[in-house]
Amino acid sequence: MTQPVPRAHDCLVNVHFGDTAQPEWMFRVKNEYFKKEDSIFGKWDMSQVLDEMDANGVQRAILSGNVNEPDSSAIKFVEARPDRFAITAGGFNLLRPMQALKQLESFVANHPVAAASSGPSFWGDGQYSPDNAVYFPLYTKCCELDLPLCMNTGLPGPPIPGEVQNPIYHDRVCVRFPELKLCMIHGADPWWDTAIRLMIKYPNLHLMTSAWAPKYLPASLLHYMRTRGKKKIIFASDAPVLSITRTIGEASQLDLPAEVLDDYLYGNAQRFFFDRLDAASAASEVVEADLATR
């Protein structure tokens, strides 16, 4: 039975797809994996995105961002409507850690950054698993900034090396960096049970279901969501790969108690990503108001 969806956050939307030509492997995954038309790589209109968000109860969306693309659509969206959009900070060359950390600090200082991001399969020819020391400066800086970090897990759809995205590599990460607020994104297929076991083990480890149609989520994950994982699983569409409308609609039909569904669609994202941003925004308003009275 369809349940009402009073509110949601969509924690991964790719409004940047139309900004530049996509690499060959993106067209392969579009054609062979998701069976989509070329139109998913078209330019995005912000008013249409907001209309779709409003129609589905989505209060805010987190846009995929790149520290090396200062004129991206994602930047333009968050500058125009910071009340509705936040952004991730990705695109680092972690083999040049000092440069990467300076880019991250600058990006966080100038934009409403909800999280840093990294996809182990998508850089360095997929050679660096998350427990490799090459990531340690990024983990340290995220802890210092109290900034969540999103990392791809599960075999990727594109024809690129995927073994480094086995969630088991987060085991050592969570031991070494217990303060790190870490979110595994794009599910964890075919290692769902490993991801669940790790989330039970580590309080700061979460999972986002981006790029997964909710009706295909495994029974083991849904059971975890109803039981020990009520506060651990975060909704996202990965639009336009999967639309906001489709994923919200399918999520509302999952066999979940109303309070669990609300946490999945809204509450867990609010706690994990947005409480920090809201606190920073409120503090900034107080400072501005104080300066205005002097």
Side-chain angles (χ1 to χ4, degrees):
M1 181 177 68
T2 301
Q3 303 179 41
V5 182
R7 58 183 183 171
H9 292 313
D10 190 340
C11 295
L12 205 161
V13 177
N14 301 289
V15 302
H16 66 288
F17 273 2
D19 291 349
T20 58
Q22 295 296 317
E24 182 270 341
W25 54 260
M26 281 291 285
F27 283 91
R28 286 188 58 186
V29 72
K30 172 190 71 68
N31 294 329
E32 301 168 10
Y33 197 76
F34 288 108
K35 311 295 185 182
K36 293 286 186 177
E37 302 296 326
D38 286 355
S39 58
I40 73 166
F41 296 143
K43 291 288 289 185
W44 284 57
D45 179 83
M46 187 174 70
S47 63
Q48 292 181 353
V49 178
L50 289 169
D51 287 346
E52 186 174 10
M53 289 168 60
D54 291 341
N56 290 282
V58 176
Q59 295 188 6
R60 288 190 277 191
I62 299 176
L63 311 180
S64 297
N66 190 308
V67 296
N68 299 300
E69 297 175 0
D71 298 319
S72 71
S73 293
I75 294 291
K76 294 174 182 177
F77 279 35
V78 298
E79 288 179 345
R81 292 298 304 269
D83 59 320
R84 302 300 300 275
F85 299 112
I87 194 168
T88 62
F92 309 106
N93 177 6
L94 296 176
L95 300 179
R96 295 291 181 270
M98 295 310 297
Q99 177 188 23
L101 298 188
K102 289 178 181 178
Q103 288 177 315
L104 175 58
E105 286 188 313
S106 176
F107 205 75
V108 169
N110 289 289
H111 305 292
V113 178
S117 64
S118 181
S121 286
F122 290 81
W123 77 280
D125 195 31
Q127 297 184 76
Y128 302 100
S129 59
D131 61 346
N132 191 292
V134 73
Y135 291 95
F136 286 13
L138 176 62
Y139 299 155
T140 301
K141 182 56 65 176
C142 285
C143 291
E144 289 177 354
L145 298 175
D146 191 29
L147 182 69
L149 174 63
C150 293
M151 297 190 77
N152 295 44
T153 50
L155 285 176
I160 54 179
E163 185 267 340
V164 291
Q165 294 189 174
N166 188 326
I168 194 60
Y169 291 116
H170 294 306
D171 191 26
R172 289 185 183 274
V173 175
C174 293
V175 170
R176 301 287 180 260
F177 297 89
E179 305 87 352
L180 180 64
K181 295 162 64 175
L182 181 60
C183 186
M184 302 175 284
I185 67 173
H186 296 343
D189 191 69
W191 304 295
W192 294 101
D193 289 345
T194 299
I196 291 168
R197 185 65 188 86
L198 290 171
M199 285 188 283
I200 293 172
K201 188 177 177 181
Y202 298 113
N204 276 339
L205 185 62
H206 294 66
L207 182 141
M208 186 188 295
T209 61
S210 48
W212 275 87
K215 69 178 181 180
Y216 294 126
L217 292 174
S220 60
L221 185 74
L222 296 175
H223 174 74
Y224 177 65
M225 292 168 70
R226 297 185 201 102
T227 54
R228 300 180 70 174
K230 292 183 176 71
K231 307 298 183 183
K232 287 299 195 89
I233 309 303
I234 296 171
F235 168 81
S237 65
D238 199 30
V241 175
L242 295 172
S243 73
I244 296 171
T245 300
R246 174 184 173 179
T247 49
I248 290 284
E250 290 184 6
S252 69
Q253 298 180 50
L254 293 173
D255 182 18
L256 297 172
E259 66 275 11
V260 173
L261 179 65
D262 183 62
D263 272 334
Y264 171 47
L265 289 173
Y266 176 85
N268 296 340
Q270 181 64 38
R271 284 184 289 271
F272 192 79
F273 294 114
F274 291 110
D275 280 352
R276 171 189 151 273
L277 280 177
D278 291 345
S281 177
S284 177
E285 290 176 3
V286 169
V287 171
E288 290 178 2
D290 180 61
L291 292 174
T293 60
R294 293 184 180 183

